[in-house]
Amino acid sequence: MEFVLLIFLPIVAALFIPFLFRKIKGIHTGWFVLLVPVVLFIYYTTFIKTTMDGGHALSELQWIPTLGISFVSYLDGLSILFSLLITGIGALVVLYSIFYLDKNKEKLGNFYVYLLLFMSAMLGVVQSDNVISLYLFWELTSISSFLLIGYWFTRDGSRFGALKSMMVTVFGGLMMLGGFVLLGIMGGTFSIRELIAGSSSFVGHEYFTLALVLILLGAFTKSAQFPFYIWLPDAMEAPTPVSAYLHSATMVKAGLYLVARFTPIFAVSEVWIWLVTGIGLLTLFWGSLFAVKQTDLKAILAFSTVSQLGLIMSLLGAGAITFHVDEALFSFAMFAAIFHLINHATFKGSLFMIAGIVDHETGTRDIRKLGGLMSIMPVSFTVAFIGSMSMAGLPPFNGFLSKEMFLQSMLAIRHFELFNFATWGIVFPVVAWIASVFTFIYSVYFVFKTFTGKRKVETLPLEPHEAPVGMLISPVILAMLVVGIFFIPNVVGKWLVKPAVMAIQPYQYSHPSEVEVHVSAWHGFASVELWMTVGIILIGGLLYLSLSKWQKFYGIQPESLSLNGLYDATMTFSEKGMNRLSRMYMTGLIRTYLLFIFAFLSVTTVAMLFLQDAFVVDMSSFSKISVYGLINAVILLLAVAFVLLSKTRLGAIISLGAVGYSVALFFVIFKAPDLALTQLVIETVSVALFLLAFQRLPKLSDHGETKSNKLVNGIIALGVGVTVTLVALSSHSQKLVASISQYYKDTVETEAGGGNIVNVILVDYRGFDTLFEIAVLAIAGIGVLGMIKLRLARKESTDENK
């Protein structure tokens, strides 16, 4: 079996979820869903041995081979790591949701369909070797996350958050698609492996930097980097299992995956290193600074997620420096990025689940109403403490190890002499240290404000109590991983991190064992990062103890001047502005719409003719004009004039028929009997239909048009006539590109098996076009029939009432 098909297993399983939800009421639907990520997780673990040995696996499913587009599952160290996170955390989230979501109150059929759709989309993103299929799955993650965030669609906040996430991430996705197309143009392929292999040939291409920026826009919007992070806090309106899955372990990591995967192509550019490292560090600082401002538990975790994503992004940027200098410190940074990505998934997933438990058991997430829950919810407190201390970077938890590596990497940047890093390098460790201080504050703030201090039972909507065992299983497993990884970091490094680093840096390493990074918790008293950590704890502790004195300064900034305020103002202006604009031309008159359309087409077409110097008239090949042609032309002009001047619909219909028959006579004169026959049939049928329906049509009216309106109509009509004439003369007189007619002549019999070239073009070469035309006519006919039936039904109802 081609394992590429396993990407679609969650989607296939989703087809059965509505049936299971409706028909099997006694069992929670989540138990059936749980099998999918568990099976996939077990299957993907079998590839760890392959990636540890420096190998990979490839499986392909043809899609559009003529365009070089296919579904290719490429499993190397990086994609296996992400696949294990997606399925492993996914299994724990589904288990958690079984006890979190009431099967009698929630629409579980919808929830699990959306969740499985998202799981397939994420697996497709991290395993796709083809950039076009990667984009398809990328946008599928946006759609499915939109549905998950808006799951409680009756709430205004859910709908707003879902729309906001969709607007921001889809914008980035479209920019990313542009970058992929440019990469395909430069490299001549859509395969990521082939693009990496041939990247040296198009590094200096004029599109290179533009493609780089466009792809980073996709990564930054999805991974909530500054200034695009604004969608993530609003996405917290989603159910907690969604937050634990999408916004800590999977979807927000897609941008990090994209940066890691395309690092071998773009790391040669200083723009890439500056943007990835700089924006990552700015996001780290900004997220940690504003996390302390929040009072909602999930909002604190949302901003902390923004902060941690920025930390990983900055490490990916620092690790890209190895493409310029062969120094172990920068390879160390790439290792730290992947290691912290794993650690973050464990401690942040557990914290989101604890936030959901607190909300579920107390009825609120407002930290101002919480406190003193440690004795009531001891297990939840223990998990929250472990997760928070790991996030703060304290031992003996895994976050301490990767945080120390992060500080060490930022210190190393000071010595990088290319691209002016030596000048600005001191800024990086300073900003990293300040951000780490606030990281310590919001971590302590989250756990101690919730579980210690005075108990405020009277302010809680529900009487607090410990969560049921089933709801605690998943966060406890994640907390155990947080502690366990601290004691066996090099086992995790050997199995998962080093193969991923080799996949990101294929030019530096040919085998994971060549990644010579050994993780340890102690580097001696002489290590600078140790004293930076001591300073973080001391300063962070003092600031936390005086939190009530300085937290109020966050209120100085008006909401209207924030990035959220800018987004809201833009959306409001766009909505009102577009409504105002549409009211200007949406008059309800078809003739007005046609006026705008024809005016635009005429102006743009004539302008392009002259700008491209394409207007040429060559009369040497014109046919001779016979007496019959002149007489027919006069008849045609008179018929057109009668259409315009007719005062009745009957006269206009007859004159219009004369126009059509005159055109048919031209076909006869110029020896095109098949076209003449077609034209005669169409005109006869059209005139007959008009005559059958004209009694039902309203009388001709000028709709109160003034002389100025008629003058404008006349100018537009003249412009359309001149445009068509110019295009006809120019297209006959010259060919800017080779005519396709010769292709039809050569293949009409051999490829299409026909003798009449016109018929073959209409039926075979234009087969889909003709099919869609027929479909449009059928839809229009059904619409007309529906309106007639409604009118008759309304008339019968009126008669009965009388």
Side-chain angles (χ1 to χ4, degrees), residues 717-739:
L718 181 63
V720 171
V722 170
T723 300
V724 173
T725 303
L726 292 177
V727 170
L729 291 172
S730 300
S731 61
H732 178 79
S733 301
Q734 67 170 347
K735 300 293 183 185
L736 293 178
V737 294
S739 173

mmCIF file of all heavy atoms in Angstrom, residues 717-739:
data_model
loop_
_atom_site.group_PDB
_atom_site.id
_atom_site.type_symbol
_atom_site.label_atom_id
_atom_site.label_comp_id
_atom_site.label_asym_id
_atom_site.label_seq_id
_atom_site.Cartn_x
_atom_site.Cartn_y
_atom_site.Cartn_z
ATOM 1 N N ALA A 717 -21.810 53.127 -26.775
ATOM 2 C CA ALA A 717 -22.112 52.252 -27.910
ATOM 3 C C ALA A 717 -21.120 52.477 -29.047
ATOM 4 O O ALA A 717 -20.617 51.525 -29.661
ATOM 5 C CB ALA A 717 -23.539 52.510 -28.390
ATOM 6 N N LEU A 718 -20.812 53.751 -29.325
ATOM 7 C CA LEU A 718 -19.842 54.064 -30.365
ATOM 8 C C LEU A 718 -18.458 53.523 -29.992
ATOM 9 O O LEU A 718 -17.735 52.981 -30.837
ATOM 10 C CB LEU A 718 -19.775 55.581 -30.566
ATOM 11 C CG LEU A 718 -18.807 56.096 -31.641
ATOM 12 C CD1 LEU A 718 -19.243 55.581 -33.013
ATOM 13 C CD2 LEU A 718 -18.755 57.614 -31.644
ATOM 14 N N GLY A 719 -18.101 53.652 -28.713
ATOM 15 C CA GLY A 719 -16.819 53.148 -28.259
ATOM 16 C C GLY A 719 -16.698 51.644 -28.420
ATOM 17 O O GLY A 719 -15.649 51.131 -28.838
ATOM 18 N N VAL A 720 -17.782 50.923 -28.091
ATOM 19 C CA VAL A 720 -17.774 49.466 -28.253
ATOM 20 C C VAL A 720 -17.609 49.103 -29.725
ATOM 21 O O VAL A 720 -16.820 48.215 -30.097
ATOM 22 C CB VAL A 720 -19.063 48.849 -27.681
ATOM 23 C CG1 VAL A 720 -19.151 47.367 -28.045
ATOM 24 C CG2 VAL A 720 -19.105 49.016 -26.175
ATOM 25 N N GLY A 721 -18.355 49.818 -30.597
ATOM 26 C CA GLY A 721 -18.249 49.533 -32.023
ATOM 27 C C GLY A 721 -16.852 49.787 -32.556
ATOM 28 O O GLY A 721 -16.299 48.971 -33.307
ATOM 29 N N VAL A 722 -16.259 50.903 -32.150
ATOM 30 C CA VAL A 722 -14.900 51.222 -32.589
ATOM 31 C C VAL A 722 -13.907 50.190 -32.058
ATOM 32 O O VAL A 722 -12.997 49.746 -32.777
ATOM 33 C CB VAL A 722 -14.508 52.638 -32.113
ATOM 34 C CG1 VAL A 722 -13.022 52.898 -32.345
ATOM 35 C CG2 VAL A 722 -15.349 53.693 -32.825
ATOM 36 N N THR A 723 -14.083 49.787 -30.800
ATOM 37 C CA THR A 723 -13.178 48.801 -30.207
ATOM 38 C C THR A 723 -13.212 47.483 -30.963
ATOM 39 O O THR A 723 -12.172 46.912 -31.308
ATOM 40 C CB THR A 723 -13.555 48.561 -28.731
ATOM 41 O OG1 THR A 723 -13.461 49.786 -28.005
ATOM 42 C CG2 THR A 723 -12.641 47.532 -28.093
ATOM 43 N N VAL A 724 -14.417 46.981 -31.213
ATOM 44 C CA VAL A 724 -14.552 45.708 -31.929
ATOM 45 C C VAL A 724 -13.951 45.815 -33.325
ATOM 46 O O VAL A 724 -13.267 44.897 -33.810
ATOM 47 C CB VAL A 724 -16.034 45.291 -31.998
ATOM 48 C CG1 VAL A 724 -16.207 44.064 -32.887
ATOM 49 C CG2 VAL A 724 -16.575 45.008 -30.608
ATOM 50 N N THR A 725 -14.176 46.953 -33.980
ATOM 51 C CA THR A 725 -13.625 47.156 -35.332
ATOM 52 C C THR A 725 -12.100 47.160 -35.298
ATOM 53 O O THR A 725 -11.442 46.511 -36.113
ATOM 54 C CB THR A 725 -14.152 48.474 -35.925
ATOM 55 O OG1 THR A 725 -15.576 48.457 -35.933
ATOM 56 C CG2 THR A 725 -13.624 48.677 -37.343
ATOM 57 N N LEU A 726 -11.523 47.881 -34.345
ATOM 58 C CA LEU A 726 -10.069 47.945 -34.241
ATOM 59 C C LEU A 726 -9.471 46.566 -33.954
ATOM 60 O O LEU A 726 -8.448 46.191 -34.524
ATOM 61 C CB LEU A 726 -9.665 48.928 -33.140
ATOM 62 C CG LEU A 726 -9.950 50.412 -33.392
ATOM 63 C CD1 LEU A 726 -9.559 51.235 -32.169
ATOM 64 C CD2 LEU A 726 -9.212 50.915 -34.624
ATOM 65 N N VAL A 727 -10.106 45.831 -33.053
ATOM 66 C CA VAL A 727 -9.611 44.490 -32.723
ATOM 67 C C VAL A 727 -9.699 43.579 -33.947
ATOM 68 O O VAL A 727 -8.775 42.813 -34.254
ATOM 69 C CB VAL A 727 -10.397 43.903 -31.539
ATOM 70 C CG1 VAL A 727 -10.060 42.425 -31.348
ATOM 71 C CG2 VAL A 727 -10.097 44.664 -30.262
ATOM 72 N N ALA A 728 -10.829 43.656 -34.671
ATOM 73 C CA ALA A 728 -11.006 42.811 -35.854
ATOM 74 C C ALA A 728 -9.965 43.131 -36.920
ATOM 75 O O ALA A 728 -9.333 42.231 -37.502
ATOM 76 C CB ALA A 728 -12.412 42.998 -36.409
ATOM 77 N N LEU A 729 -9.739 44.426 -37.194
ATOM 78 C CA LEU A 729 -8.757 44.826 -38.202
ATOM 79 C C LEU A 729 -7.346 44.419 -37.789
ATOM 80 O O LEU A 729 -6.560 43.911 -38.603
ATOM 81 C CB LEU A 729 -8.822 46.344 -38.423
ATOM 82 C CG LEU A 729 -10.091 46.876 -39.116
ATOM 83 C CD1 LEU A 729 -10.101 48.405 -39.096
ATOM 84 C CD2 LEU A 729 -10.188 46.361 -40.545
ATOM 85 N N SER A 730 -7.031 44.636 -36.503
ATOM 86 C CA SER A 730 -5.683 44.321 -36.026
ATOM 87 C C SER A 730 -5.414 42.818 -36.019
ATOM 88 O O SER A 730 -4.340 42.372 -36.415
ATOM 89 C CB SER A 730 -5.479 44.884 -34.616
ATOM 90 O OG SER A 730 -5.632 46.291 -34.612
ATOM 91 N N SER A 731 -6.370 42.052 -35.550
ATOM 92 C CA SER A 731 -6.174 40.601 -35.489
ATOM 93 C C SER A 731 -6.079 39.992 -36.878
ATOM 94 O O SER A 731 -5.393 38.981 -37.074
ATOM 95 C CB SER A 731 -7.313 39.945 -34.704
ATOM 96 O OG SER A 731 -8.553 40.184 -35.353
ATOM 97 N N HIS A 732 -6.758 40.613 -37.862
ATOM 98 C CA HIS A 732 -6.673 40.115 -39.235
ATOM 99 C C HIS A 732 -5.357 40.524 -39.901
ATOM 100 O O HIS A 732 -4.801 39.784 -40.725
ATOM 101 C CB HIS A 732 -7.846 40.657 -40.067
ATOM 102 C CG HIS A 732 -7.803 40.225 -41.505
ATOM 103 N ND1 HIS A 732 -8.207 38.978 -41.921
ATOM 104 C CD2 HIS A 732 -7.389 40.885 -42.630
ATOM 105 C CE1 HIS A 732 -8.044 38.864 -43.233
ATOM 106 N NE2 HIS A 732 -7.554 40.023 -43.687
ATOM 107 N N SER A 733 -4.845 41.689 -39.509
ATOM 108 C CA SER A 733 -3.687 42.247 -40.207
ATOM 109 C C SER A 733 -2.367 41.730 -39.676
ATOM 110 O O SER A 733 -1.345 41.816 -40.365
ATOM 111 C CB SER A 733 -3.716 43.779 -40.110
ATOM 112 O OG SER A 733 -4.911 44.300 -40.672
ATOM 113 N N GLN A 734 -2.316 41.241 -38.442
ATOM 114 C CA GLN A 734 -1.051 40.777 -37.895
ATOM 115 C C GLN A 734 -1.297 39.682 -36.868
ATOM 116 O O GLN A 734 -2.407 39.521 -36.360
ATOM 117 C CB GLN A 734 -0.289 41.924 -37.249
ATOM 118 C CG GLN A 734 -0.963 42.472 -35.988
ATOM 119 C CD GLN A 734 -0.092 43.441 -35.232
ATOM 120 O OE1 GLN A 734 1.086 43.546 -35.489
ATOM 121 N NE2 GLN A 734 -0.680 44.158 -34.298
ATOM 122 N N LYS A 735 -0.243 38.937 -36.567
ATOM 123 C CA LYS A 735 -0.311 37.883 -35.562
ATOM 124 C C LYS A 735 0.841 38.081 -34.576
ATOM 125 O O LYS A 735 2.005 37.876 -34.920
ATOM 126 C CB LYS A 735 -0.198 36.499 -36.214
ATOM 127 C CG LYS A 735 -1.279 36.184 -37.235
ATOM 128 C CD LYS A 735 -2.644 36.048 -36.586
ATOM 129 C CE LYS A 735 -3.693 35.666 -37.624
ATOM 130 N NZ LYS A 735 -5.052 35.635 -37.050
ATOM 131 N N LEU A 736 0.508 38.515 -33.352
ATOM 132 C CA LEU A 736 1.553 38.664 -32.332
ATOM 133 C C LEU A 736 2.060 37.316 -31.858
ATOM 134 O O LEU A 736 3.202 37.175 -31.453
ATOM 135 C CB LEU A 736 1.003 39.470 -31.151
ATOM 136 C CG LEU A 736 0.665 40.942 -31.439
ATOM 137 C CD1 LEU A 736 0.097 41.594 -30.194
ATOM 138 C CD2 LEU A 736 1.883 41.706 -31.926
ATOM 139 N N VAL A 737 1.177 36.331 -31.910
ATOM 140 C CA VAL A 737 1.576 34.954 -31.587
ATOM 141 C C VAL A 737 1.089 34.051 -32.706
ATOM 142 O O VAL A 737 0.178 34.412 -33.460
ATOM 143 C CB VAL A 737 0.971 34.497 -30.230
ATOM 144 C CG1 VAL A 737 1.544 35.291 -29.091
ATOM 145 C CG2 VAL A 737 -0.541 34.596 -30.243
ATOM 146 N N ALA A 738 1.701 32.908 -32.798
ATOM 147 C CA ALA A 738 1.326 31.969 -33.859
ATOM 148 C C ALA A 738 -0.119 31.525 -33.698
ATOM 149 O O ALA A 738 -0.591 31.294 -32.590
ATOM 150 C CB ALA A 738 2.260 30.767 -33.835
ATOM 151 N N SER A 739 -0.818 31.393 -34.817
ATOM 152 C CA SER A 739 -2.222 30.981 -34.782
ATOM 153 C C SER A 739 -2.332 29.521 -34.391
ATOM 154 O O SER A 739 -1.483 28.686 -34.751
ATOM 155 C CB SER A 739 -2.865 31.195 -36.152
ATOM 156 O OG SER A 739 -4.171 30.658 -36.164
#
